[in-house]
Amino acid sequence: MSSEKLRFDSKLIHSGGFEDALGSATTPIYQSSTFKFKSADHGAQCFSGESDGYIYTRISNPTIRELENTVADLENGFGGIATSSGMGAINTMYMAYLEQGAHIISHEAVYGPARVVLENFWTKFGVECTFLDTADLNAVKAALQPNTRLLYTETPANPTIGISDLKALADIAHNAGIPLVVDNTFCSPYLQKPLDLGADVVLHSMTKFINGHADIVAGMLVAKKEEDYNKLRTVMVNLGCNMDPLQAFQTRRGLKTLAIRIDRAQENAIKIAEYLEQHPKIEWVKYPGLKSHPQYDLAQQQMSGPGAMMSFEVKGGIGSGKILMDNVKLALLAVSLGGIETLIQHPASMTHSKMTSESKKIAGITDGLVRLAVGIENVEDIINDLDQALAKV
Ligand code: LCS
């Protein structure tokens, strides 16, 4: 059955279009760096594009292509480009759209290294960066310059959980003749489809929800149009930040359960956010499913669910936050997110520690902010764990 006719959760299992000659139920791991040509002419045709036969795994590989086709199908894009990591996808994207003297507008609270790489490396080649809150549409419009080549955002943002209006940002970008690129890691295509809202490229750290088991580092770019797809693929192949076939196999396996994993983690997250919000030792909670979230209405419109990521501050700031983090027993004190296990971390000293204090302050990454990535354990156990740790504060 054509995957176009299937619903999202069936596509998770059946999409990808791979037909194995031996009838295997799962796509095999083609752990081969190179592929035999049928003849010299066939080899030449593979290189010229007349034949879509496989050549070399940095360029393409059946196991990797199956994963690329699946994620592109889930995001309603033209094609996917798998990368070694989420950062591999981000740097491929920067390389494809930026040039010497170009200007980029990026969300001030994008994943820390995605910002650091612009500030520390791309500026060496004369790239100018404006970091702002892309939820502020007037600020985005005001920041446009004749040399602006890219509008890049992440929503919900990491770790502030701020939400940006993707339809409005796509209009602003397109009126300026530039692409809108969206990091969809926090939602996955199950909860948000940026390409349907007008974005040109969507990217993922598949290390997170897409793989979902904290055992793989991987990335993906999906382009809406063939032109962007070709541009991004050429950069990835030549940079050499390709995925490995085993990594693709494991990621494809994790992806099959995306919907049921997110349903459960989200159900847990809603209860945990409500528990934290009423707790006397909690200063504030930011979660798109709480009415107190400043962009609650926008989240309802552009996301099909509030997800499993939240941030909060314990009264007393970082000192109290550390007591909480040092005393949890079930939640792991670890970075990353989107896996089956609940993780807790401190962005100011961990994931976002390389940002300057000034940048962190502007981006709203306070010293007391604690990030919680909710897993699929029994929710009562997670709440009991937070409760016993908060009692020690
Ligand atoms: N985008 C987002 C939203 C992320 O959270 C991360 C990693 C990346 C991109 C980069 O992906 P990677 O290269 O690690 O696959 N986020 C991490 C985090 O929050 N804790 O540790 C890594």
Side-chain angles (χ1 to χ4, degrees), residues 85-87 111 154 158 183 205 207-208 335-337 351 371:
S85 67
M87 283 308 297
Y111 172 58
E154 195 180 304
N158 182 10
D183 183 331
S205 166
T207 316
K208 313 297 185 304
V335 298
S336 202
L337 58 108
T351 45
R371 191 184 77 181

Side-chain angles (χ1 to χ4, degrees), residues 2 47 62 65 69 88 131 148 162 203 222 287 307 314 322 324 342:
S2 154
F47 272 91
R65 186 172 289 177
N69 289 347
F131 297 100
T148 308
L203 66 87
V222 178
Y287 177 63
V314 186
K322 275 190 180 159
L324 167 74
T342 299

Side-chain angles (χ1 to χ4, degrees), residues 111-311:
Y111 172 58
R115 175 176 178 149
V116 168
V117 91
L118 285 172
E119 285 175 325
N120 292 1
F121 302 111
W122 287 89
T123 47
K124 289 202 288 191
F125 306 105
V127 169
E128 276 183 88
C129 320
T130 301
F131 297 100
L132 44 73
D133 181 359
T134 54
D136 183 347
L137 301 174
N138 288 329
V140 176
K141 282 186 215 154
L144 287 165
Q145 299 178 180
N147 59 339
T148 308
R149 293 286 175 270
L150 179 64
L151 177 55
Y152 175 47
T153 194
E154 195 180 304
T155 179
N158 182 10
T160 57
I161 323 288
I163 316 265
S164 296
D165 183 338
L166 292 178
K167 264 191 191 154
L169 288 175
D171 285 347
I172 294 172
H174 297 155
N175 286 336
I178 58 169
L180 171 67
V181 177
V182 178
D183 183 331
N184 201 25
T185 298
F186 268 37
C187 282
S188 89
Y190 186 49
L191 297 182
Q192 178 171 270
K193 294 196 181 57
L195 300 183
D196 288 357
L197 297 168
D200 300 278
V201 175
V202 59
L203 66 87
H204 286 279
S205 166
M206 298 198 295
T207 316
K208 313 297 185 304
F209 288 101
I210 289 190
N211 174 56
H213 292 75
D215 52 8
I216 282 291
V217 171
M220 181 71 79
L221 288 151
V222 178
K224 184 143 92 185
K225 294 189 291 274
E226 186 171 4
E227 189 191 337
D228 288 297
Y229 169 80
N230 288 336
K231 199 188 280 193
L232 291 161
R233 179 164 284 285
T234 302
V235 174
M236 185 284 289
V237 166
N238 289 293
L239 276 183
C241 56
N242 58 286
M243 180 170 277
D244 178 85
L246 177 60
Q247 201 184 358
F249 172 83
Q250 288 177 296
T251 308
R252 183 69 190 85
R253 183 173 62 180
L255 179 56
K256 292 181 188 188
T257 53
L258 179 77
I260 54 172
R261 281 188 284 107
I262 292 193
D263 282 345
R264 173 62 176 266
Q266 180 171 264
E267 198 182 299
N268 286 353
I270 293 168
K271 290 185 183 142
I272 292 164
E274 284 167 355
Y275 157 79
L276 287 173
E277 196 169 49
Q278 57 71 47
H279 197 288
K281 289 187 183 167
I282 298 293
E283 190 74 47
W284 53 261
V285 184
K286 199 115 171 266
Y287 177 63
L290 290 178
K291 292 227 167 70
S292 57
H293 191 293
Q295 294 127 320
Y296 175 80
D297 291 337
L298 177 59
Q300 296 277 310
Q301 283 163 35
Q302 78 179 14
M303 294 160 67
S304 58
M309 296 298 301
M310 68 188 72
S311 58

Side-chain angles (χ1 to χ4, degrees), residues 74-119:
L74 299 172
E75 287 282 11
N76 294 331
F78 171 80
I81 300 129
T83 53
S84 53
S85 67
M87 283 308 297
I90 290 167
N91 280 306
T92 297
M93 182 277 290
Y94 287 159
M95 184 73 108
Y97 293 110
L98 299 177
E99 77 242 350
Q100 189 177 25
H103 171 243
I104 169 173
I105 302 175
S106 169
H107 197 301
E108 63 198 3
V110 279
Y111 172 58
R115 175 176 178 149
V116 168
V117 91
L118 285 172
E119 285 175 325

